[in-house]
Amino acid sequence: MMLSTRNAFGTFLTELAAEHPEVFVMSADFTKSTGLAKFKEQFPQQFLTTGIAEQNMIALASGVASEGHNVFASSFASFLATRCYEQIKINLGYMQHNVKLVGIASGLGVSFQGNTHYGLDDVSLMRAIPGMTIVVPSDCTEVAKATIALVNYNGPAYLRLVGEGFIPIVNTDDYEFIIGKGIVKREGTDVLMIANGTMVNQSLKVAEELDKEGISVAVVNMHTVKPLDTELINKMIPEKKLVVTAEEGQINGGLASAVAEHLAYLGNAPKMLRFGVQDIFPHAGSYQYLLQQCGLDVESIKKSIIDNIE
C-alpha cells in the first residue's frame, strides 16, 4: 500500500489544530499539494497563502511566531532551502523563532522536473544553521508522528518530506517517536546501516538480500539528522565491520557528513560507505532511473557493501 507524505502532513496537522489554536500555517501556493486544503477550510483565521514568494513567507512566519504562534510554513524543499536561505538563517536560526519549515518534494521524487526542483542540498544547508532541528520521516506513519512531535516542539525546525508523492509503508507497528532519537529497525552483527526517509525502506531490502549472502545487517532509522543520536551509534557500532549511510540527497553536508563527523572522534571506527547523491547534478528521468543513476537502488547498494566489507 502506498500513501502520500504530503497529504499525511496536512491531514494530521488539521486534526491537531483543533486542540492547538496557537498553530498557524502558511503555504507558498501549495495548499492542495500539501494536504492543507481542509486546514484552510476549517481554520481560515490560522492560515495564509503567501503565493510563490518564499522569502516573504519566511519574514511573515517570523513575525507571526514572535506573537506567540507555532508556525508551519511549507513549499518545495528546493525553493525553501536556497531561495530564502538568508531569511531562514537570520529570522529562524539567529532569532530562534518557533517556525517549522516543511520541505515538500525533497530528494529526487519530482523526477522529470529536473535540478531546478530537486531538493538535494536542503539538509546540508539546514545543518549549517545553529539551533535548527532536522527531521526526515521514513513513511506516512512517521510523518504523522513527526508532525505531532513538532507541534509540541518549541524552536525552529525543518521537516523534510522526501521521495515520490507516494511511498511504501515502513512502520507497520506503533512505536515511540522522539526527536533526536533514532530507531533500530533491524538487528545485525556485521554491518550497521544508518538511513532516513525513503532509504530506510531501501536499507531493509538490502539487509534482506545480504542475509542470503551470509552478511548480517543492522538497520537504524535516523529520522533526526540534527541533533544526531550519537548515543545510539556508539551502542550499535562495536564489532561492526562496516558502517553505511543512505540518504536521498547530497552526501556532502547531509546525514553521511553528520555520521562521519561523529565517527572521526571515535578513533578506531570501522570503514564507512556513503550512499546518496555523489556531488553531481543528476540527469532528469523517472524516479527509478534517478535512484539507479545515483547508486541508491537495492542492487547497487548491495554490491558495494559486498565489495567493501572486510
Side-chain angles (χ1 to χ4, degrees):
M1 182 179 180
M2 309 282 271
L3 296 171
S4 165
T5 55
R6 302 182 192 184
N7 285 327
F9 161 71
T11 298
F12 282 96
L13 189 61
T14 301
E15 290 185 4
L16 292 167
E19 298 178 5
H20 293 272
E22 75 281 3
V23 168
F24 194 96
V25 176
M26 294 184 182
S27 174
D29 208 26
F30 293 104
T31 303
K32 290 184 179 179
S33 59
T34 49
L36 290 168
K38 288 186 178 179
F39 188 104
K40 180 180 180 181
E41 178 183 339
Q42 294 182 28
F43 306 99
Q45 300 303 313
Q46 295 169 242
F47 186 88
L48 178 65
T49 300
T50 65
I52 306 174
E54 283 82 2
Q55 293 167 317
N56 288 339
M57 181 177 71
I58 297 305
L60 287 167
S62 176
V64 173
S66 71
E67 295 298 316
H69 291 280
N70 185 2
V71 183
F72 284 75
S74 64
S75 183
F76 263 41
S78 56
F79 305 153
L80 276 178
T82 57
R83 182 175 295 168
C84 48
Y85 188 71
E86 180 182 3
Q87 285 75 23
I88 294 171
K89 181 178 71 174
I90 300 302
N91 292 359
L92 275 60
Y94 179 64
M95 300 181 76
Q96 283 293 291
H97 280 167
N98 192 22
V99 178
K100 313 315 179 348
L101 300 174
V102 183
I104 66 172
S106 296
L108 301 162
V110 291
S111 59
F112 290 99
Q113 294 184 44
N115 282 281
T116 56
H117 286 60
Y118 298 153
L120 300 176
D121 53 2
D122 49 340
V123 173
S124 305
L125 292 167
M126 294 301 160
R127 272 193 72 223
I129 298 176
M132 178 68 74
T133 292
I134 304 170
V135 179
V136 188
S138 59
D139 67 0
C140 291
T141 296
E142 199 153 81
V143 170
K145 288 181 175 291
T147 302
I148 293 169
L150 289 171
V151 164
N152 292 288
Y153 177 80
N154 186 33
Y158 179 58
L159 177 63
R160 186 180 199 243
L161 304 184
V162 65
E164 290 185 290
F166 298 89
I167 64 173
I169 295 173
V170 175
N171 304 288
T172 56
D173 300 320
D174 195 17
Y175 63 99
E176 186 178 16
F177 180 96
I178 302 174
I179 292 174
K181 294 295 180 182
I183 299 168
V184 179
K185 298 296 295 180
R186 194 179 196 276
E187 297 284 355
T189 57
D190 298 320
V191 178
L192 172 60
M193 288 195 73
I194 303 171
N196 60 24
T198 52
M199 289 299 111
V200 175
N201 184 57
Q202 292 289 77
S203 296
L204 290 170
K205 289 180 179 179
V206 169
E208 291 176 6
E209 290 295 313
L210 288 174
D211 254 353
K212 301 172 186 176
E213 306 290 335
I215 300 173
S216 177
V217 180
V219 177
V220 168
N221 171 14
M222 195 63 76
H223 54 68
T224 306
V225 180
K226 185 182 178 184
L228 186 72
D229 191 352
T230 54
E231 182 179 346
L232 179 59
I233 293 174
N234 292 346
K235 178 182 177 183
M236 298 289 292
I237 208 170
E239 301 188 16
K240 295 295 189 298
K241 301 173 183 177
L242 190 65
V243 175
V244 176
T245 58
E247 60 195 307
E248 193 177 318
Q250 285 285 354
I251 60 170
N252 295 326
L255 175 65
S257 291
V259 173
E261 288 161 15
H262 175 65
L263 295 184
Y265 285 101
L266 297 183
N268 44 332
K271 181 178 180 179
M272 180 178 175
L273 283 182
R274 305 177 298 165
F275 293 98
V277 180
Q278 304 280 335
D279 198 31
I280 63 169
F281 289 103
H283 295 291
S286 70
Y287 183 61
Q288 289 305 315
Y289 166 78
L290 284 161
L291 291 180
Q292 291 171 357
Q293 181 187 158
C294 296
L296 290 172
D297 58 296
V298 171
E299 191 58 35
S300 294
I301 297 173
K302 171 189 168 184
K303 182 180 184 303
S304 186
I305 290 175
I306 292 173
D307 291 344
N308 284 275
I309 193 168
E310 297 177 356

